[in-house]
Amino acid sequence: MIDLDRRSREMVAEVRELGRRYMRPMGLEADRAAEPPPADHPFYLLCSRQGGLVSRTIGEDEPSGEGDGEAALAWRPLRAVLTAEESAYWDRGVALSLPGPGLGGAALRSTATPEQQERFLQPFLDHSHAHWGAMAMTEPGAGSDVARIRTRARRDGDGWVLSGAKMFCSNAARAEWVVVWATVDRDLGRQGHRAFVVERATPGFEIIKIEHKMGSRGYETASFVLDDVRVPAENLLGGESFYESRRGFKGAMATFNITRPIHAAQGVGMGRAALDHALDFVRAEYPAHGRRRQRALDRLAEIRRGLHTARLLCLHAVWLARNGQHNALEASYAKLFAPPVVFRAVSTALDVLGEAGVRNDRMLEKLYRDVKILDIGEGTQQVQRLVVARQLFGFPRGS
């Protein structure tokens, strides 16, 4: 049992209440409409006015100047996992749409200089209206194998010029800035990677498509192009010295070592939602002490055990991060284990409900479509197996 601090308990309780009142209804409505809530939705303003608390369900905490000092920093990874699970219980898509720096904030924390963190994260302390940030790594020819990034960065005078295309970027169309990963030389592989903050109004930055998705419709997923986008030198995260000796790519991977267990924890929340839905159905529809009821409860108990194990893997990974220990292996363990467990949870719940579970007005049908992204986001399952093999057995890396 985790002995949570007062602030963490309050955060989880507030996410639970907001999830019940707003997030689940918004998620169901977004799924029916096949598009995310608009950026001016009143709920986003409510989140901002309440101090941006709910935006931390995707892994962020106060950018600076708030919280409980070193104690708050120590609790940040654990809070992120717990609030991620709770928010995804109500609706993962809406949770990812909430105002905040998003994955871009995680990249800034692991890569940026203190001056850059102050510059780009400070606006999120303005709670008068909603703010978003984003991070773009995936390209048409570079998904989980990020070493294949082709977006080009070239030095030009006192700045940089970026050219290329990015896709599947969460919240990019409403973000005030996007952390864009590019390469200075494709032949250098990972050593050529650089991260830049591209601000929304920069000429040449153009959103070209908002994806229409099978599931997870509560947040927007955008594709954009960079047509000779000029950014100042101070927008290169970490500065030139950061990218010596492969540190740039390692900075990107350090981001995922935190966000992968958060992603897995979101899956645990979705699995819990399916489990609770099925339990409510069994209690209401199956005769007490009947054999059919007992068989269903036995199956659901197995699902509960799997979800509990997945949660422990997530907590272990962030506990290591909280204590300054290397957690790449454990982060991949959590990401590798959780998605199939969550898929079985939703599938089992559908089996228990039968025809009642696949009607479009039922939440389980939506969860069945939503859950697929767990396999893909934050690195596919195949990539996680490679990461684990490299960590355990010295499996050779690519270029």
Side-chain angles (χ1 to χ4, degrees):
M1 184 69 180
I2 301 172
D3 185 17
L4 294 178
D5 67 319
R6 177 188 58 80
R7 179 66 167 156
S8 297
R9 292 195 299 270
E10 290 174 352
M11 288 173 64
V12 173
E14 184 167 353
V15 170
R16 181 177 298 122
E17 178 61 17
L18 292 173
R20 182 186 64 81
R21 293 180 59 190
Y22 299 102
M23 294 170 67
R24 181 161 292 171
M26 287 173 65
L28 291 170
E29 175 57 31
D31 191 67
R32 287 190 290 267
E35 59 183 16
D40 61 355
H41 193 286
F43 178 59
Y44 298 142
L45 181 58
L46 172 65
C47 293
S48 298
R49 286 177 174 170
Q50 291 188 339
L53 172 64
V54 192
S55 69
R56 295 190 288 279
T57 58
I58 51 177
E60 294 303 316
D61 207 323
E62 293 88 352
S64 63
E66 293 186 8
D68 304 313
E70 293 298 319
L73 292 176
W75 279 103
R76 178 182 291 157
L78 181 58
R79 289 173 178 173
V81 163
L82 295 175
T83 54
E85 179 184 332
E86 186 62 34
S87 63
Y89 176 89
W90 301 103
D91 194 88
R92 178 184 178 273
V94 173
L96 291 181
S97 78
L98 296 175
L103 286 175
L108 282 162
R109 294 187 189 285
S110 66
T111 307
T113 65
E115 293 78 15
Q116 289 170 333
Q117 292 188 26
E118 177 73 14
R119 176 184 168 196
F120 294 116
L121 293 178
Q122 190 69 25
F124 291 92
L125 295 178
D126 170 21
H127 304 314
S128 63
H129 63 283
H131 304 266
W132 284 268
M135 185 173 82
M137 187 172 282
T138 303
E139 299 180 3
S144 294
D145 185 4
V146 297
R148 298 180 64 187
I149 285 175
R150 292 295 180 263
T151 294
R152 185 67 182 271
R154 60 180 175 86
R155 192 65 189 256
D156 185 48
D158 60 353
W160 293 83
V161 175
L162 308 182
S163 301
K166 296 290 183 179
M167 63 190 304
F168 303 146
C169 182
S170 303
N171 298 321
R174 60 185 64 181
E176 298 180 17
W177 47 255
V178 181
V179 174
V180 174
W181 286 86
T183 180
V184 296
D185 187 341
R186 296 173 184 174
D187 293 335
L188 292 177
R190 296 176 176 91
Q191 295 186 58
H193 287 182
R194 304 288 186 272
F196 301 85
V197 177
V198 178
E199 295 166 270
R200 179 169 55 189
T202 306
F205 175 83
E206 181 182 359
I207 301 292
I208 59 173
K209 184 180 182 182
I210 304 295
E211 301 291 340
H212 294 282
K213 298 176 291 186
M214 175 182 76
S216 296
R217 294 169 172 172
Y219 71 101
E220 65 180 23
T221 304
S223 297
F224 62 87
V225 295
L226 300 150
D227 185 9
D228 288 339
V229 171
R230 180 176 292 276
V231 297
E234 54 267 28
N235 283 31
L236 172 64
L237 288 191
E240 291 280 5
S241 62
F242 182 81
Y243 297 92
E244 298 173 357
S245 302
R246 296 168 59 92
R247 290 178 64 202
F249 183 75
K250 289 182 179 179
M253 295 304 100
T255 297
F256 291 123
N257 291 341
I258 292 296
T259 58
R260 279 173 178 159
I262 291 172
H263 181 86
Q266 291 171 344
V268 173
M270 297 168 74
R272 278 179 45 214
L275 177 64
D276 285 354
H277 200 73
L279 284 172
D280 288 343
F281 180 86
V282 169
R283 289 165 180 152
E285 302 294 332
Y286 290 0
H289 310 298
R291 294 180 63 185
R292 188 180 181 191
R293 180 179 179 131
Q294 188 58 51
R295 285 197 300 268
L297 291 177
D298 287 346
R299 296 181 69 189
L300 295 176
E302 181 181 0
I303 293 302
R304 175 172 284 170
R305 291 193 296 271
L307 292 172
H308 182 65
T309 303
R311 180 187 294 114
L312 291 176
L313 287 170
C314 297
L315 293 172
H316 185 215
V318 298
W319 180 87
L320 291 172
R322 175 189 175 190
N323 288 279
Q325 299 181 42
H326 186 65
N327 74 331
L329 176 63
E330 291 76 12
S332 286
Y333 275 160
K335 173 61 172 69
L336 187 60
F337 184 83
V341 168
V342 177
F343 181 77
R344 286 196 298 273
V346 178
S347 298
T348 300
L350 280 170
D351 287 346
V352 168
L353 267 71
E355 291 183 359
V358 295
R359 295 204 306 265
N360 285 336
D361 61 341
R362 291 283 185 173
M363 186 182 69
L364 282 179
E365 186 270 341
K366 174 182 177 297
L367 277 173
Y368 193 79
R369 289 181 285 107
D370 289 351
V371 77
K372 181 58 183 175
I373 190 60
L374 297 177
D375 269 338
I376 301 168
E378 303 291 325
T380 64
Q381 299 303 84
Q382 294 88 342
V383 166
Q384 302 316 309
R385 292 185 180 96
L386 288 174
V387 172
V388 168
R390 289 167 182 165
Q391 294 286 329
L392 291 179
F393 309 117
F395 193 82
R397 295 179 180 272
S399 60

